[in-house]
Amino acid sequence: MKFGGTSVEDPAAIGRTAAIVAGRVSAGKRPVVVVSAMAKVTDQLLRAGEAAAQGDRTGALAISSRLRSRHRDTASDLVKNVADLADLLSFIDQKFDSLDEVLRGLSAILELTPRISDLIVSYGERISSRIVAAAFREKSIDAAHVDAREVIITDSQFQKATPLDDVIEKKAAEKLHPLLAQGKVPVMGGFIGSNEAGITTTLGRGGSDFTGALVGGALPSESIEIWTDVDGIMTSDPRVCPDALRVKVISFEEAAELAYFGAKVLHPATILPAVKKNIPVYVLNSRNAACEGTQITSLAPHCNSPFKSIAVKKKLSIIDVVASRMLMTHGYMKAIFDIFDKHRCPVDMVSTSEVSVSLTVDSNDKLPLIAADLSKLADVKYEGKKALVCMVGDNIRGQSGIAAQVFSAIRHVNVRMISQGASEINMSFMIEEDDADEAVRSLHAAFFKDPDPSIFDVDARKAAIGS
Ligand code: ADP
Ligand code: ASP
Ligand code: MG
């Protein structure tokens, strides 16, 4: 059971989380609990690190001090047993004391390396998981805190480390199985891990979902539950499209595609460990635990609607490489991709013509360097502030007229690149970032007017219209 930042954001949220876990335990389940940092804490820790590295020691320590108070207040609110609370507060103070030391050091060194950044953000999950474990014990759940860095062993690619599955499986057997055998509920932080030398790493932003799936896969477990602040995977981000519907069931492939192309509700790598072991994943709402959420399974049932959901990935750049003579010569594409490889920059979408190649990538500070390397091969232009809209469904390729419907729904929007057919289940296109939200709403209105009730929760929409 993985609980995201909003599910542990304050004492009330942690109380709801405890009640959900207690429910599972009394139903005879033996859960392992993975928690994120409290909502917004990772962002604030990063800001503190950046401030310190820019020499703003006072600003960095002020952020840390506000975070210390927030965690202390949450602990005091939840833990009434005097000795337990004293223990927890002393742990919190110790951690913030060492964080402050790191921040002071940074403000002298003035350089924030990926390794130090991982150390700084790790405090979020290290502390939240201790608070949650103590709060569980207060509610009579026999919880045992586990330091995630002793289980999630990764390579040394700081800020986006790759987990070492075999080692994790061994560590899970060593650290988690004995606790489960004693009837305890292990509670650990998501997102963080350590390399084989014991140095703290992280799995990338949003990585607690990944931890949940890694642990679920390593045990292995009967199911993996991702508890968040929405009713499940929806037909689009409900913050952008308020009439989004819950998708009741979706396939691993569709969910992975959605996650990769921007549906923040799941970390893109989450599904892999579950697919390998064929473990169903559920996305559930900790604010509405009675809702059955979304089930992600290896084979989703047939759906009459062409699409299941629309995802958007923003902050992208488009790179145009134009070479009149060489493009289709043997080895030319390889030369282009070697440059992206050298800069470890993933490419999302590619489109070619006789003289040019257009590629889309996450906007990042390596772009000028990449462009400089590419310009040795051809003329290069790049432009930021683009968004990729990705429509996912298992039934696109066989249906005629779908592309016409998609582009007529957004005929007022300038489309820069299109990709269809690379995957049977995904149709995507690139537009200006400023057009993205409106385009999603138009597409949603066009494709989810009459949704298949076996796949989508249409009752919720009817209830909303009725009220
Ligand atoms: P957590 O802290 O629980 O990991 P996140 O903020 O990472 O939560 O992810 C949940 C958020 O993802 C939702 O609040 C919602 O705004 C956003 N989201 C984006 N696309 C979708 C989608 N297709 N379905 C559901 N939520 C989505
Ligand atoms: N706390 C981390 C983040 O905000 C990981 C997570 O919440 O999944 O990115
Ligand atoms: Mg998340």
Side-chain angles (χ1 to χ4, degrees), residues 7 10-20 78 135 139:
S7 304
D10 56 24
I14 296 174
R16 284 193 296 271
T17 291
I20 292 166
L78 288 162
K139 301 246 190 283

Side-chain angles (χ1 to χ4, degrees), residues 75-313:
S76 309
D77 202 304
L78 288 162
V79 180
K80 299 297 169 212
N81 177 301
V82 178
D84 289 350
L85 178 60
D87 225 34
L88 184 58
L89 290 178
S90 121
F91 173 83
I92 294 172
D93 281 333
Q94 241 178 43
K95 292 303 146 217
F96 277 102
D97 289 347
S98 50
L99 172 64
D100 288 351
E101 231 170 281
V102 175
L103 293 173
R104 282 191 202 99
L106 260 181
S107 69
I109 301 166
L110 303 177
E111 190 197 358
L112 183 56
T113 62
R115 173 173 161 170
I116 299 296
S117 174
D118 275 358
L119 174 66
I120 290 174
V121 290
S122 75
Y123 286 99
E125 270 75 6
R126 283 155 68 190
I127 301 170
S128 69
S129 55
R130 276 292 287 255
I131 295 176
V132 169
F136 280 10
R137 284 194 292 274
E138 187 79 19
K139 301 246 190 283
S140 306
I141 301 170
D142 191 5
H145 182 262
V146 173
D147 188 333
R149 296 169 301 169
E150 293 176 7
V151 177
I152 304 299
I153 309 300
T154 69
D155 68 4
S156 298
Q157 207 189 318
F158 296 103
Q159 294 185 318
K160 213 179 177 85
T162 304
L164 307 177
D165 294 348
D166 296 347
V167 190
I168 292 173
E169 212 160 294
K170 247 193 271 149
K171 296 286 180 186
E174 245 172 72
K175 309 267 173 196
L176 302 175
H177 282 286
L179 294 173
L180 290 167
Q182 291 165 41
K184 292 190 182 295
V185 176
V187 177
M188 55 193 271
F191 177 53
I192 58 176
S194 71
N195 67 12
E196 287 183 288
I199 312 290
T200 300
T201 58
T202 67
L203 301 172
R205 291 307 306 270
S208 295
D209 297 339
F210 196 9
T211 308
L214 285 168
V215 172
L219 288 168
S221 64
E222 172 188 307
S223 66
I224 295 165
E225 297 181 352
I226 308 287
W227 289 85
T228 182
D229 62 349
V230 282
D231 276 347
I233 296 183
M234 313 289 283
T235 47
S236 76
D237 186 342
R239 284 183 213 186
V240 174
C241 190
D243 54 354
L245 296 162
R246 175 170 62 91
V247 184
K248 295 192 220 171
V249 55
I250 196 165
S251 69
F252 281 127
E253 286 81 5
E254 291 168 319
E257 205 86 1
L258 280 173
Y260 183 74
F261 287 105
K264 189 187 167 206
V265 66
L266 276 186
H267 181 281
T270 305
I271 310 291
L272 261 179
V275 175
K276 279 192 194 154
K277 304 244 160 98
N278 203 11
I279 301 170
V281 178
Y282 296 87
V283 180
L284 297 154
N285 189 351
S286 68
R287 292 179 179 161
N288 182 18
C291 176
E292 64 186 24
T294 299
Q295 186 184 6
I296 307 173
T297 59
S298 48
L299 269 184
H302 177 74
C303 175
N304 289 327
S305 319
F307 297 113
K308 296 257 172 64
S309 184
I310 309 170
V312 180
K313 197 168 176 183

